[in-house]
Amino acid sequence: MPAVNHTWEAQAHPHLLRRQASVWTIVLGGGAVFGWFALPANVRVLFTELQVATLAFFVLVMLSIVWSLALGYVKAGPDGLLFRNGLRTRHLPWSEVVGVRYNRADHWAFVELSDDSDRPLLGIQRSDGPLADEMFAQLDAVVTKYAGR
């Protein structure tokens, strides 16, 4: 990945999804801990270490999935477009970007590429309502400035 100068003219991340991920961390993590200690001691001793570790593992997997989506972002500046969807971060130079789109029926924004494909931008999600429209407008202005054809 090329060196990025970290001068971002537009930045976006999913606000509602991050709040929901925080709530699910408390609910799922706290619920698992509460549920464990709510069991009578004579029942807890029946669990092996492997069984407890397996239960903890599944709680962590579920939270990891939620957070991998919640930590998505989109950044745009002179060096191109940088975005993270899930666990993958991708940098696109402006020469590969044709434009961005965010139709009313779309759940998130998309970047349209010069190879006639597109990629979702999970950093801008419809669930954020008017804030998502604002973030997209800022992104679109930067894309038009640098990649406008």
PDB file of all heavy atoms in Angstrom, residues 66-103:
ATOM      1  N   VAL A  66     -19.517  -8.450  14.883  1.00  0.00           N
ATOM      2  CA  VAL A  66     -20.188  -7.155  15.014  1.00  0.00           C
ATOM      3  C   VAL A  66     -19.176  -6.018  14.919  1.00  0.00           C
ATOM      4  O   VAL A  66     -19.369  -5.045  14.178  1.00  0.00           O
ATOM      5  CB  VAL A  66     -20.972  -7.082  16.349  1.00  0.00           C
ATOM      6  CG1 VAL A  66     -21.472  -5.678  16.614  1.00  0.00           C
ATOM      7  CG2 VAL A  66     -22.122  -8.067  16.337  1.00  0.00           C
ATOM      8  N   TRP A  67     -18.063  -6.123  15.644  1.00  0.00           N
ATOM      9  CA  TRP A  67     -17.076  -5.048  15.660  1.00  0.00           C
ATOM     10  C   TRP A  67     -16.307  -4.932  14.349  1.00  0.00           C
ATOM     11  O   TRP A  67     -15.889  -3.830  13.965  1.00  0.00           O
ATOM     12  CB  TRP A  67     -16.125  -5.183  16.845  1.00  0.00           C
ATOM     13  CG  TRP A  67     -16.747  -4.625  18.081  1.00  0.00           C
ATOM     14  CD1 TRP A  67     -17.294  -5.308  19.118  1.00  0.00           C
ATOM     15  CD2 TRP A  67     -16.933  -3.235  18.383  1.00  0.00           C
ATOM     16  NE1 TRP A  67     -17.795  -4.440  20.056  1.00  0.00           N
ATOM     17  CE2 TRP A  67     -17.591  -3.165  19.628  1.00  0.00           C
ATOM     18  CE3 TRP A  67     -16.611  -2.057  17.725  1.00  0.00           C
ATOM     19  CZ2 TRP A  67     -17.932  -1.946  20.220  1.00  0.00           C
ATOM     20  CZ3 TRP A  67     -16.951  -0.847  18.320  1.00  0.00           C
ATOM     21  CH2 TRP A  67     -17.593  -0.805  19.550  1.00  0.00           C
ATOM     22  N   SER A  68     -16.106  -6.043  13.639  1.00  0.00           N
ATOM     23  CA  SER A  68     -15.400  -5.940  12.358  1.00  0.00           C
ATOM     24  C   SER A  68     -16.209  -5.098  11.374  1.00  0.00           C
ATOM     25  O   SER A  68     -15.644  -4.377  10.551  1.00  0.00           O
ATOM     26  CB  SER A  68     -15.098  -7.319  11.778  1.00  0.00           C
ATOM     27  OG  SER A  68     -16.279  -7.960  11.345  1.00  0.00           O
ATOM     28  N   LEU A  69     -17.529  -5.150  11.463  1.00  0.00           N
ATOM     29  CA  LEU A  69     -18.368  -4.301  10.616  1.00  0.00           C
ATOM     30  C   LEU A  69     -18.470  -2.881  11.170  1.00  0.00           C
ATOM     31  O   LEU A  69     -18.456  -1.907  10.419  1.00  0.00           O
ATOM     32  CB  LEU A  69     -19.761  -4.915  10.477  1.00  0.00           C
ATOM     33  CG  LEU A  69     -19.795  -6.264   9.768  1.00  0.00           C
ATOM     34  CD1 LEU A  69     -21.194  -6.847   9.805  1.00  0.00           C
ATOM     35  CD2 LEU A  69     -19.303  -6.129   8.341  1.00  0.00           C
ATOM     36  N   ALA A  70     -18.568  -2.759  12.473  1.00  0.00           N
ATOM     37  CA  ALA A  70     -18.731  -1.446  13.097  1.00  0.00           C
ATOM     38  C   ALA A  70     -17.492  -0.568  12.946  1.00  0.00           C
ATOM     39  O   ALA A  70     -17.590   0.656  12.972  1.00  0.00           O
ATOM     40  CB  ALA A  70     -19.073  -1.607  14.575  1.00  0.00           C
ATOM     41  N   LEU A  71     -16.343  -1.167  12.800  1.00  0.00           N
ATOM     42  CA  LEU A  71     -15.109  -0.385  12.697  1.00  0.00           C
ATOM     43  C   LEU A  71     -14.757  -0.010  11.257  1.00  0.00           C
ATOM     44  O   LEU A  71     -13.668   0.473  10.980  1.00  0.00           O
ATOM     45  CB  LEU A  71     -13.950  -1.136  13.364  1.00  0.00           C
ATOM     46  CG  LEU A  71     -14.082  -1.248  14.885  1.00  0.00           C
ATOM     47  CD1 LEU A  71     -12.951  -2.100  15.460  1.00  0.00           C
ATOM     48  CD2 LEU A  71     -14.111   0.119  15.545  1.00  0.00           C
ATOM     49  N   GLY A  72     -15.699  -0.201  10.355  1.00  0.00           N
ATOM     50  CA  GLY A  72     -15.486   0.214   8.971  1.00  0.00           C
ATOM     51  C   GLY A  72     -15.379   1.727   8.878  1.00  0.00           C
ATOM     52  O   GLY A  72     -15.888   2.463   9.729  1.00  0.00           O
ATOM     53  N   TYR A  73     -14.718   2.204   7.840  1.00  0.00           N
ATOM     54  CA  TYR A  73     -14.600   3.643   7.615  1.00  0.00           C
ATOM     55  C   TYR A  73     -14.313   3.919   6.155  1.00  0.00           C
ATOM     56  O   TYR A  73     -13.980   3.012   5.381  1.00  0.00           O
ATOM     57  CB  TYR A  73     -13.511   4.263   8.495  1.00  0.00           C
ATOM     58  CG  TYR A  73     -12.128   3.704   8.263  1.00  0.00           C
ATOM     59  CD1 TYR A  73     -11.355   4.105   7.176  1.00  0.00           C
ATOM     60  CD2 TYR A  73     -11.591   2.768   9.129  1.00  0.00           C
ATOM     61  CE1 TYR A  73     -10.085   3.589   6.962  1.00  0.00           C
ATOM     62  CE2 TYR A  73     -10.327   2.253   8.928  1.00  0.00           C
ATOM     63  CZ  TYR A  73      -9.580   2.668   7.845  1.00  0.00           C
ATOM     64  OH  TYR A  73      -8.327   2.153   7.634  1.00  0.00           O
ATOM     65  N   VAL A  74     -14.439   5.176   5.796  1.00  0.00           N
ATOM     66  CA  VAL A  74     -14.092   5.670   4.463  1.00  0.00           C
ATOM     67  C   VAL A  74     -13.348   6.975   4.676  1.00  0.00           C
ATOM     68  O   VAL A  74     -13.785   7.821   5.458  1.00  0.00           O
ATOM     69  CB  VAL A  74     -15.340   5.967   3.607  1.00  0.00           C
ATOM     70  CG1 VAL A  74     -14.936   6.450   2.222  1.00  0.00           C
ATOM     71  CG2 VAL A  74     -16.254   4.779   3.511  1.00  0.00           C
ATOM     72  N   LYS A  75     -12.222   7.128   3.992  1.00  0.00           N
ATOM     73  CA  LYS A  75     -11.453   8.373   4.052  1.00  0.00           C
ATOM     74  C   LYS A  75     -11.045   8.727   2.634  1.00  0.00           C
ATOM     75  O   LYS A  75     -10.680   7.849   1.859  1.00  0.00           O
ATOM     76  CB  LYS A  75     -10.205   8.205   4.923  1.00  0.00           C
ATOM     77  CG  LYS A  75     -10.517   7.880   6.369  1.00  0.00           C
ATOM     78  CD  LYS A  75      -9.261   7.668   7.176  1.00  0.00           C
ATOM     79  CE  LYS A  75      -9.610   7.302   8.621  1.00  0.00           C
ATOM     80  NZ  LYS A  75      -8.403   7.162   9.446  1.00  0.00           N
ATOM     81  N   ALA A  76     -11.084  10.009   2.325  1.00  0.00           N
ATOM     82  CA  ALA A  76     -10.700  10.460   0.990  1.00  0.00           C
ATOM     83  C   ALA A  76      -9.864  11.720   1.108  1.00  0.00           C
ATOM     84  O   ALA A  76     -10.149  12.589   1.927  1.00  0.00           O
ATOM     85  CB  ALA A  76     -11.942  10.727   0.144  1.00  0.00           C
ATOM     86  N   GLY A  77      -8.823  11.776   0.291  1.00  0.00           N
ATOM     87  CA  GLY A  77      -7.939  12.931   0.276  1.00  0.00           C
ATOM     88  C   GLY A  77      -7.122  12.938  -0.996  1.00  0.00           C
ATOM     89  O   GLY A  77      -7.392  12.159  -1.925  1.00  0.00           O
ATOM     90  N   PRO A  78      -6.106  13.769  -1.069  1.00  0.00           N
ATOM     91  CA  PRO A  78      -5.312  13.898  -2.287  1.00  0.00           C
ATOM     92  C   PRO A  78      -4.697  12.589  -2.774  1.00  0.00           C
ATOM     93  O   PRO A  78      -4.498  12.398  -3.976  1.00  0.00           O
ATOM     94  CB  PRO A  78      -4.211  14.888  -1.899  1.00  0.00           C
ATOM     95  CG  PRO A  78      -4.734  15.603  -0.705  1.00  0.00           C
ATOM     96  CD  PRO A  78      -5.659  14.656  -0.016  1.00  0.00           C
ATOM     97  N   ASP A  79      -4.391  11.666  -1.861  1.00  0.00           N
ATOM     98  CA  ASP A  79      -3.736  10.419  -2.241  1.00  0.00           C
ATOM     99  C   ASP A  79      -4.697   9.331  -2.713  1.00  0.00           C
ATOM    100  O   ASP A  79      -4.261   8.272  -3.140  1.00  0.00           O
ATOM    101  CB  ASP A  79      -2.921   9.861  -1.078  1.00  0.00           C
ATOM    102  CG  ASP A  79      -1.730  10.747  -0.745  1.00  0.00           C
ATOM    103  OD1 ASP A  79      -1.231  11.427  -1.663  1.00  0.00           O
ATOM    104  OD2 ASP A  79      -1.312  10.755   0.419  1.00  0.00           O
ATOM    105  N   GLY A  80      -5.989   9.550  -2.569  1.00  0.00           N
ATOM    106  CA  GLY A  80      -6.942   8.548  -3.005  1.00  0.00           C
ATOM    107  C   GLY A  80      -7.972   8.241  -1.937  1.00  0.00           C
ATOM    108  O   GLY A  80      -8.191   9.019  -1.005  1.00  0.00           O
ATOM    109  N   LEU A  81      -8.556   7.085  -2.092  1.00  0.00           N
ATOM    110  CA  LEU A  81      -9.633   6.639  -1.217  1.00  0.00           C
ATOM    111  C   LEU A  81      -9.122   5.488  -0.359  1.00  0.00           C
ATOM    112  O   LEU A  81      -8.506   4.551  -0.869  1.00  0.00           O
ATOM    113  CB  LEU A  81     -10.792   6.165  -2.098  1.00  0.00           C
ATOM    114  CG  LEU A  81     -12.143   5.917  -1.484  1.00  0.00           C
ATOM    115  CD1 LEU A  81     -12.723   7.213  -0.934  1.00  0.00           C
ATOM    116  CD2 LEU A  81     -13.085   5.341  -2.534  1.00  0.00           C
ATOM    117  N   LEU A  82      -9.342   5.578   0.933  1.00  0.00           N
ATOM    118  CA  LEU A  82      -8.950   4.531   1.868  1.00  0.00           C
ATOM    119  C   LEU A  82     -10.216   4.090   2.588  1.00  0.00           C
ATOM    120  O   LEU A  82     -10.954   4.926   3.100  1.00  0.00           O
ATOM    121  CB  LEU A  82      -7.920   5.053   2.872  1.00  0.00           C
ATOM    122  CG  LEU A  82      -7.391   4.061   3.903  1.00  0.00           C
ATOM    123  CD1 LEU A  82      -6.503   3.014   3.231  1.00  0.00           C
ATOM    124  CD2 LEU A  82      -6.616   4.779   4.987  1.00  0.00           C
ATOM    125  N   PHE A  83     -10.484   2.786   2.565  1.00  0.00           N
ATOM    126  CA  PHE A  83     -11.668   2.315   3.268  1.00  0.00           C
ATOM    127  C   PHE A  83     -11.448   0.933   3.851  1.00  0.00           C
ATOM    128  O   PHE A  83     -10.627   0.167   3.368  1.00  0.00           O
ATOM    129  CB  PHE A  83     -12.907   2.323   2.360  1.00  0.00           C
ATOM    130  CG  PHE A  83     -12.834   1.433   1.149  1.00  0.00           C
ATOM    131  CD1 PHE A  83     -13.400   0.181   1.160  1.00  0.00           C
ATOM    132  CD2 PHE A  83     -12.218   1.873  -0.016  1.00  0.00           C
ATOM    133  CE1 PHE A  83     -13.362  -0.639   0.043  1.00  0.00           C
ATOM    134  CE2 PHE A  83     -12.165   1.069  -1.139  1.00  0.00           C
ATOM    135  CZ  PHE A  83     -12.740  -0.196  -1.118  1.00  0.00           C
ATOM    136  N   ARG A  84     -12.187   0.676   4.938  1.00  0.00           N
ATOM    137  CA  ARG A  84     -12.134  -0.636   5.574  1.00  0.00           C
ATOM    138  C   ARG A  84     -13.545  -1.198   5.604  1.00  0.00           C
ATOM    139  O   ARG A  84     -14.474  -0.564   6.071  1.00  0.00           O
ATOM    140  CB  ARG A  84     -11.597  -0.566   6.993  1.00  0.00           C
ATOM    141  CG  ARG A  84     -11.599  -1.959   7.627  1.00  0.00           C
ATOM    142  CD  ARG A  84     -11.064  -2.077   9.010  1.00  0.00           C
ATOM    143  NE  ARG A  84     -10.884  -0.812   9.687  1.00  0.00           N
ATOM    144  CZ  ARG A  84     -10.436  -0.707  10.917  1.00  0.00           C
ATOM    145  NH1 ARG A  84     -10.125  -1.760  11.607  1.00  0.00           N
ATOM    146  NH2 ARG A  84     -10.296   0.459  11.483  1.00  0.00           N
ATOM    147  N   ASN A  85     -13.681  -2.406   5.097  1.00  0.00           N
ATOM    148  CA  ASN A  85     -14.912  -3.184   5.162  1.00  0.00           C
ATOM    149  C   ASN A  85     -14.557  -4.471   5.881  1.00  0.00           C
ATOM    150  O   ASN A  85     -13.770  -5.265   5.380  1.00  0.00           O
ATOM    151  CB  ASN A  85     -15.441  -3.521   3.767  1.00  0.00           C
ATOM    152  CG  ASN A  85     -15.914  -2.300   3.008  1.00  0.00           C
ATOM    153  OD1 ASN A  85     -16.267  -1.301   3.597  1.00  0.00           O
ATOM    154  ND2 ASN A  85     -15.921  -2.388   1.692  1.00  0.00           N
ATOM    155  N   GLY A  86     -15.124  -4.675   7.047  1.00  0.00           N
ATOM    156  CA  GLY A  86     -14.796  -5.886   7.794  1.00  0.00           C
ATOM    157  C   GLY A  86     -13.345  -5.860   8.214  1.00  0.00           C
ATOM    158  O   GLY A  86     -12.867  -4.903   8.813  1.00  0.00           O
ATOM    159  N   LEU A  87     -12.613  -6.889   7.858  1.00  0.00           N
ATOM    160  CA  LEU A  87     -11.203  -6.985   8.246  1.00  0.00           C
ATOM    161  C   LEU A  87     -10.253  -6.475   7.174  1.00  0.00           C
ATOM    162  O   LEU A  87      -9.048  -6.431   7.386  1.00  0.00           O
ATOM    163  CB  LEU A  87     -10.862  -8.446   8.580  1.00  0.00           C
ATOM    164  CG  LEU A  87     -11.668  -9.066   9.720  1.00  0.00           C
ATOM    165  CD1 LEU A  87     -11.293 -10.526   9.897  1.00  0.00           C
ATOM    166  CD2 LEU A  87     -11.461  -8.301  11.014  1.00  0.00           C
ATOM    167  N   ARG A  88     -10.789  -6.107   6.015  1.00  0.00           N
ATOM    168  CA  ARG A  88      -9.928  -5.721   4.904  1.00  0.00           C
ATOM    169  C   ARG A  88      -9.900  -4.209   4.712  1.00  0.00           C
ATOM    170  O   ARG A  88     -10.947  -3.566   4.595  1.00  0.00           O
ATOM    171  CB  ARG A  88     -10.428  -6.379   3.622  1.00  0.00           C
ATOM    172  CG  ARG A  88      -9.528  -6.090   2.467  1.00  0.00           C
ATOM    173  CD  ARG A  88      -9.793  -6.966   1.299  1.00  0.00           C
ATOM    174  NE  ARG A  88      -8.786  -6.687   0.295  1.00  0.00           N
ATOM    175  CZ  ARG A  88      -8.922  -6.983  -0.960  1.00  0.00           C
ATOM    176  NH1 ARG A  88     -10.002  -7.603  -1.372  1.00  0.00           N
ATOM    177  NH2 ARG A  88      -7.971  -6.687  -1.804  1.00  0.00           N
ATOM    178  N   THR A  89      -8.700  -3.653   4.675  1.00  0.00           N
ATOM    179  CA  THR A  89      -8.506  -2.238   4.384  1.00  0.00           C
ATOM    180  C   THR A  89      -7.963  -2.122   2.972  1.00  0.00           C
ATOM    181  O   THR A  89      -7.078  -2.885   2.572  1.00  0.00           O
ATOM    182  CB  THR A  89      -7.514  -1.603   5.380  1.00  0.00           C
ATOM    183  OG1 THR A  89      -8.053  -1.765   6.697  1.00  0.00           O
ATOM    184  CG2 THR A  89      -7.305  -0.138   5.092  1.00  0.00           C
ATOM    185  N   ARG A  90      -8.505  -1.175   2.238  1.00  0.00           N
ATOM    186  CA  ARG A  90      -8.108  -1.048   0.839  1.00  0.00           C
ATOM    187  C   ARG A  90      -7.831   0.419   0.511  1.00  0.00           C
ATOM    188  O   ARG A  90      -8.582   1.303   0.927  1.00  0.00           O
ATOM    189  CB  ARG A  90      -9.246  -1.575  -0.029  1.00  0.00           C
ATOM    190  CG  ARG A  90      -8.889  -1.691  -1.440  1.00  0.00           C
ATOM    191  CD  ARG A  90      -9.788  -2.654  -2.141  1.00  0.00           C
ATOM    192  NE  ARG A  90      -9.358  -2.683  -3.521  1.00  0.00           N
ATOM    193  CZ  ARG A  90      -9.980  -3.276  -4.464  1.00  0.00           C
ATOM    194  NH1 ARG A  90     -11.063  -3.959  -4.203  1.00  0.00           N
ATOM    195  NH2 ARG A  90      -9.535  -3.245  -5.695  1.00  0.00           N
ATOM    196  N   HIS A  91      -6.754   0.659  -0.223  1.00  0.00           N
ATOM    197  CA  HIS A  91      -6.410   1.993  -0.704  1.00  0.00           C
ATOM    198  C   HIS A  91      -6.569   2.001  -2.216  1.00  0.00           C
ATOM    199  O   HIS A  91      -6.023   1.136  -2.903  1.00  0.00           O
ATOM    200  CB  HIS A  91      -4.969   2.353  -0.332  1.00  0.00           C
ATOM    201  CG  HIS A  91      -4.560   3.677  -0.891  1.00  0.00           C
ATOM    202  ND1 HIS A  91      -3.887   3.805  -2.076  1.00  0.00           N
ATOM    203  CD2 HIS A  91      -4.747   4.938  -0.429  1.00  0.00           C
ATOM    204  CE1 HIS A  91      -3.676   5.083  -2.323  1.00  0.00           C
ATOM    205  NE2 HIS A  91      -4.182   5.793  -1.339  1.00  0.00           N
ATOM    206  N   LEU A  92      -7.325   2.969  -2.728  1.00  0.00           N
ATOM    207  CA  LEU A  92      -7.503   3.108  -4.170  1.00  0.00           C
ATOM    208  C   LEU A  92      -6.964   4.460  -4.613  1.00  0.00           C
ATOM    209  O   LEU A  92      -7.419   5.498  -4.111  1.00  0.00           O
ATOM    210  CB  LEU A  92      -8.993   3.034  -4.538  1.00  0.00           C
ATOM    211  CG  LEU A  92      -9.719   1.730  -4.275  1.00  0.00           C
ATOM    212  CD1 LEU A  92     -11.207   1.894  -4.560  1.00  0.00           C
ATOM    213  CD2 LEU A  92      -9.139   0.619  -5.115  1.00  0.00           C
ATOM    214  N   PRO A  93      -6.031   4.468  -5.530  1.00  0.00           N
ATOM    215  CA  PRO A  93      -5.600   5.758  -6.091  1.00  0.00           C
ATOM    216  C   PRO A  93      -6.733   6.314  -6.953  1.00  0.00           C
ATOM    217  O   PRO A  93      -7.594   5.572  -7.435  1.00  0.00           O
ATOM    218  CB  PRO A  93      -4.373   5.383  -6.933  1.00  0.00           C
ATOM    219  CG  PRO A  93      -4.536   3.939  -7.238  1.00  0.00           C
ATOM    220  CD  PRO A  93      -5.318   3.336  -6.113  1.00  0.00           C
ATOM    221  N   TRP A  94      -6.743   7.606  -7.152  1.00  0.00           N
ATOM    222  CA  TRP A  94      -7.827   8.231  -7.912  1.00  0.00           C
ATOM    223  C   TRP A  94      -7.911   7.710  -9.334  1.00  0.00           C
ATOM    224  O   TRP A  94      -8.985   7.748  -9.939  1.00  0.00           O
ATOM    225  CB  TRP A  94      -7.685   9.743  -7.884  1.00  0.00           C
ATOM    226  CG  TRP A  94      -7.940  10.300  -6.528  1.00  0.00           C
ATOM    227  CD1 TRP A  94      -7.076  11.032  -5.754  1.00  0.00           C
ATOM    228  CD2 TRP A  94      -9.129  10.154  -5.745  1.00  0.00           C
ATOM    229  NE1 TRP A  94      -7.665  11.342  -4.548  1.00  0.00           N
ATOM    230  CE2 TRP A  94      -8.931  10.810  -4.520  1.00  0.00           C
ATOM    231  CE3 TRP A  94     -10.350   9.518  -5.947  1.00  0.00           C
ATOM    232  CZ2 TRP A  94      -9.881  10.869  -3.518  1.00  0.00           C
ATOM    233  CZ3 TRP A  94     -11.310   9.567  -4.950  1.00  0.00           C
ATOM    234  CH2 TRP A  94     -11.082  10.235  -3.765  1.00  0.00           C
ATOM    235  N   SER A  95      -6.817   7.212  -9.882  1.00  0.00           N
ATOM    236  CA  SER A  95      -6.853   6.687 -11.250  1.00  0.00           C
ATOM    237  C   SER A  95      -7.754   5.458 -11.381  1.00  0.00           C
ATOM    238  O   SER A  95      -8.200   5.125 -12.476  1.00  0.00           O
ATOM    239  CB  SER A  95      -5.432   6.323 -11.706  1.00  0.00           C
ATOM    240  OG  SER A  95      -4.880   5.322 -10.859  1.00  0.00           O
ATOM    241  N   GLU A  96      -8.058   4.786 -10.264  1.00  0.00           N
ATOM    242  CA  GLU A  96      -8.929   3.604 -10.307  1.00  0.00           C
ATOM    243  C   GLU A  96     -10.380   3.928  -9.979  1.00  0.00           C
ATOM    244  O   GLU A  96     -11.258   3.080 -10.104  1.00  0.00           O
ATOM    245  CB  GLU A  96      -8.429   2.551  -9.313  1.00  0.00           C
ATOM    246  CG  GLU A  96      -7.112   1.933  -9.678  1.00  0.00           C
ATOM    247  CD  GLU A  96      -6.680   0.868  -8.684  1.00  0.00           C
ATOM    248  OE1 GLU A  96      -7.561   0.195  -8.093  1.00  0.00           O
ATOM    249  OE2 GLU A  96      -5.463   0.720  -8.493  1.00  0.00           O
ATOM    250  N   VAL A  97     -10.647   5.144  -9.529  1.00  0.00           N
ATOM    251  CA  VAL A  97     -11.987   5.520  -9.077  1.00  0.00           C
ATOM    252  C   VAL A  97     -12.708   6.296 -10.170  1.00  0.00           C
ATOM    253  O   VAL A  97     -12.197   7.290 -10.680  1.00  0.00           O
ATOM    254  CB  VAL A  97     -11.906   6.370  -7.785  1.00  0.00           C
ATOM    255  CG1 VAL A  97     -13.297   6.841  -7.368  1.00  0.00           C
ATOM    256  CG2 VAL A  97     -11.236   5.584  -6.670  1.00  0.00           C
ATOM    257  N   VAL A  98     -13.909   5.839 -10.510  1.00  0.00           N
ATOM    258  CA  VAL A  98     -14.747   6.544 -11.481  1.00  0.00           C
ATOM    259  C   VAL A  98     -15.715   7.470 -10.751  1.00  0.00           C
ATOM    260  O   VAL A  98     -15.957   8.587 -11.171  1.00  0.00           O
ATOM    261  CB  VAL A  98     -15.521   5.536 -12.365  1.00  0.00           C
ATOM    262  CG1 VAL A  98     -16.527   6.249 -13.252  1.00  0.00           C
ATOM    263  CG2 VAL A  98     -14.566   4.692 -13.183  1.00  0.00           C
ATOM    264  N   GLY A  99     -16.254   7.000  -9.641  1.00  0.00           N
ATOM    265  CA  GLY A  99     -17.197   7.803  -8.883  1.00  0.00           C
ATOM    266  C   GLY A  99     -17.719   7.030  -7.686  1.00  0.00           C
ATOM    267  O   GLY A  99     -17.267   5.916  -7.402  1.00  0.00           O
ATOM    268  N   VAL A 100     -18.657   7.640  -6.995  1.00  0.00           N
ATOM    269  CA  VAL A 100     -19.313   6.983  -5.858  1.00  0.00           C
ATOM    270  C   VAL A 100     -20.819   7.106  -6.076  1.00  0.00           C
ATOM    271  O   VAL A 100     -21.291   8.011  -6.757  1.00  0.00           O
ATOM    272  CB  VAL A 100     -18.913   7.596  -4.507  1.00  0.00           C
ATOM    273  CG1 VAL A 100     -17.486   7.234  -4.146  1.00  0.00           C
ATOM    274  CG2 VAL A 100     -19.107   9.095  -4.480  1.00  0.00           C
ATOM    275  N   ARG A 101     -21.562   6.171  -5.491  1.00  0.00           N
ATOM    276  CA  ARG A 101     -23.019   6.240  -5.587  1.00  0.00           C
ATOM    277  C   ARG A 101     -23.640   5.839  -4.255  1.00  0.00           C
ATOM    278  O   ARG A 101     -23.065   5.061  -3.495  1.00  0.00           O
ATOM    279  CB  ARG A 101     -23.540   5.395  -6.739  1.00  0.00           C
ATOM    280  CG  ARG A 101     -23.646   3.948  -6.490  1.00  0.00           C
ATOM    281  CD  ARG A 101     -24.415   3.205  -7.599  1.00  0.00           C
ATOM    282  NE  ARG A 101     -24.626   1.852  -7.173  1.00  0.00           N
ATOM    283  CZ  ARG A 101     -23.769   0.858  -7.335  1.00  0.00           C
ATOM    284  NH1 ARG A 101     -22.634   1.079  -7.966  1.00  0.00           N
ATOM    285  NH2 ARG A 101     -24.035  -0.339  -6.881  1.00  0.00           N
ATOM    286  N   TYR A 102     -24.825   6.373  -4.034  1.00  0.00           N
ATOM    287  CA  TYR A 102     -25.553   6.100  -2.795  1.00  0.00           C
ATOM    288  C   TYR A 102     -27.029   6.365  -3.074  1.00  0.00           C
ATOM    289  O   TYR A 102     -27.559   7.419  -2.759  1.00  0.00           O
ATOM    290  CB  TYR A 102     -25.005   7.007  -1.698  1.00  0.00           C
ATOM    291  CG  TYR A 102     -25.537   6.764  -0.310  1.00  0.00           C
ATOM    292  CD1 TYR A 102     -25.545   5.492   0.246  1.00  0.00           C
ATOM    293  CD2 TYR A 102     -25.994   7.821   0.454  1.00  0.00           C
ATOM    294  CE1 TYR A 102     -26.014   5.288   1.529  1.00  0.00           C
ATOM    295  CE2 TYR A 102     -26.453   7.624   1.744  1.00  0.00           C
ATOM    296  CZ  TYR A 102     -26.460   6.354   2.268  1.00  0.00           C
ATOM    297  OH  TYR A 102     -26.922   6.143   3.550  1.00  0.00           O
ATOM    298  N   ASN A 103     -27.676   5.416  -3.701  1.00  0.00           N
ATOM    299  CA  ASN A 103     -29.081   5.556  -4.072  1.00  0.00           C
ATOM    300  C   ASN A 103     -29.975   5.329  -2.859  1.00  0.00           C
ATOM    301  O   ASN A 103     -29.575   4.689  -1.882  1.00  0.00           O
ATOM    302  CB  ASN A 103     -29.433   4.567  -5.184  1.00  0.00           C
ATOM    303  CG  ASN A 103     -28.613   4.800  -6.430  1.00  0.00           C
ATOM    304  OD1 ASN A 103     -28.328   5.940  -6.789  1.00  0.00           O
ATOM    305  ND2 ASN A 103     -28.206   3.731  -7.084  1.00  0.00           N
TER     306      ASN A 103
END
